[in-house]
Amino acid sequence: MQLKYQQVEQFLLYQLKNGDFKEGDKFYSEAELKKRFDVSSATVIKAINELVSKGLLVRQQGKGTFVSRARRGKLVKFFDREKDNDADETVTVLSIEREHDPRILKELNLASSNSYFHIIRLRRSNNTPVQLHHTYLVAEYFNQIALENPSYYESIYEKIRQDSGIDLFSTQVDETTGILFPAPQQVKTLLQLQSEQQPVAYIRRHSYLFDDKPIEYVESYKRWDYFEIQIKTV
């Protein structure tokens, strides 16, 4: 059974989530809530404090309570936006090698006796090289056909879905993005960066199977002038 303050909190939370208040709006006063719910000051204060602790409300001394402008307490989606969605894109597989670098084995949670396949690809947009991908794929999901025909893995996810029935577009991932400056020499050369002063976005991603085992680890480098992040609340 909910306590009285929890009933008040749930009603107020519904109003906040339902869009009855916008970010920055002044919220109900303590007196308004006491009258509306016929409860004590202590109940109202506890309910408000719960919403403040969740980042949904902020209290300003002498002014009252306001709807927070912060994004804490909301779900957000991140989108890696492209400079030109109508661009003619191509992907070239530069190399495929079987390797056993201890650093990558650790990223893939593999034993030192194991190995993986390292696939390097270059993505171009309207003939401009925009992103360099280093994909480290667990060996059991690698198709040996690609050793004779590297272009087989121009679209790695499509081939894994075709070969193994695994849809990496919908599996669990973790991804971090940072900025590298200066860019590594190989990256600068392949992305045709014209100046030492140009950074690159450095993206690291793990994709997991349903048993939480990594199937791939990816390190990619993207030209700064083709990199943009958009955030949307949901």
Side-chain angles (χ1 to χ4, degrees):
M1 180 177 178
Q2 283 188 324
L3 299 175
K4 194 66 177 178
Y5 86 87
Q6 292 174 323
Q7 295 174 359
V8 175
E9 179 191 351
Q10 287 300 310
F11 179 83
L12 297 178
L13 183 61
Y14 173 80
Q15 289 199 307
L16 288 168
K17 295 292 187 181
N18 199 41
D20 292 348
F21 290 86
K22 296 180 181 178
E23 294 175 357
D25 281 355
K26 189 167 185 178
F27 202 56
Y28 296 115
S29 68
E30 182 182 321
E32 288 173 324
L33 292 175
K34 282 174 59 180
K35 182 177 179 180
R36 184 181 187 113
F37 296 103
D38 190 24
V39 293
S40 68
S41 295
T43 296
V44 167
I45 291 171
K46 188 165 180 59
I48 291 295
N49 285 343
E50 288 294 319
L51 296 174
V52 169
S53 69
K54 292 175 181 176
L56 298 172
L57 297 176
V58 292
R59 307 186 90 159
Q60 297 182 15
Q61 181 129 11
K63 294 183 178 180
T65 303
F66 295 82
V67 179
S68 175
R69 295 182 185 275
R71 298 190 184 277
R72 184 181 170 197
K74 293 184 178 180
L75 294 177
V76 297
K77 282 187 177 180
F78 291 80
F79 301 88
D80 183 356
R81 295 182 55 175
E82 298 296 337
K83 180 178 179 181
D84 185 359
N85 290 326
D86 297 323
D88 180 20
E89 286 201 351
T90 59
V91 175
T92 303
V93 179
L94 302 181
S95 66
I96 300 177
E97 299 287 343
R98 189 164 195 148
E99 298 175 348
H100 51 271
D101 183 335
R103 181 180 75 87
I104 303 301
L105 289 171
K106 183 177 180 180
E107 296 287 353
L108 291 171
N109 197 23
L110 294 174
S112 58
S113 58
N114 290 128
S115 60
Y116 55 84
F117 282 91
H118 180 189
I119 306 167
I120 303 178
R121 298 177 303 148
L122 183 65
R123 184 162 67 91
R124 294 181 175 87
S125 178
N126 290 335
N127 292 320
T128 299
V130 297
Q131 193 162 13
L132 178 66
H133 299 273
H134 288 261
T135 297
Y136 304 96
L137 182 64
V138 172
E140 65 183 284
Y141 298 99
F142 179 82
N143 193 320
Q144 299 291 324
I145 292 173
L147 295 177
E148 299 296 329
N149 179 23
S151 64
Y152 184 82
Y153 275 132
E154 288 177 358
S155 176
I156 294 176
Y157 282 19
E158 289 294 341
K159 290 304 181 183
I160 288 177
R161 179 161 54 186
Q162 174 183 309
D163 295 338
S164 306
I166 297 171
D167 184 3
L168 288 182
F169 290 106
S170 60
T171 57
Q172 179 183 349
V173 302
D174 66 57
E175 182 174 304
T176 59
T177 300
I179 301 298
L180 278 186
F181 178 79
Q185 185 58 48
Q186 181 203 42
V187 175
K188 189 180 83 166
T189 300
L190 290 173
L191 294 183
Q192 297 179 6
L193 298 178
Q194 302 301 314
S195 167
E196 295 287 347
Q197 304 304 313
Q198 292 179 314
V200 291
Y202 173 51
I203 304 156
R204 301 172 63 247
R205 185 179 71 251
H206 300 82
S207 298
Y208 299 93
L209 300 173
F210 293 111
D211 56 4
D212 293 330
K213 291 182 179 178
I215 181 174
E216 67 159 2
Y217 170 60
V218 182
E219 295 179 341
S220 62
Y221 305 83
K222 193 169 187 178
R223 286 178 61 118
W224 67 273
D225 49 344
Y226 278 78
F227 177 74
E228 182 177 323
I229 289 291
Q230 180 184 35
I231 301 174
K232 288 185 177 181
T233 56
V234 296

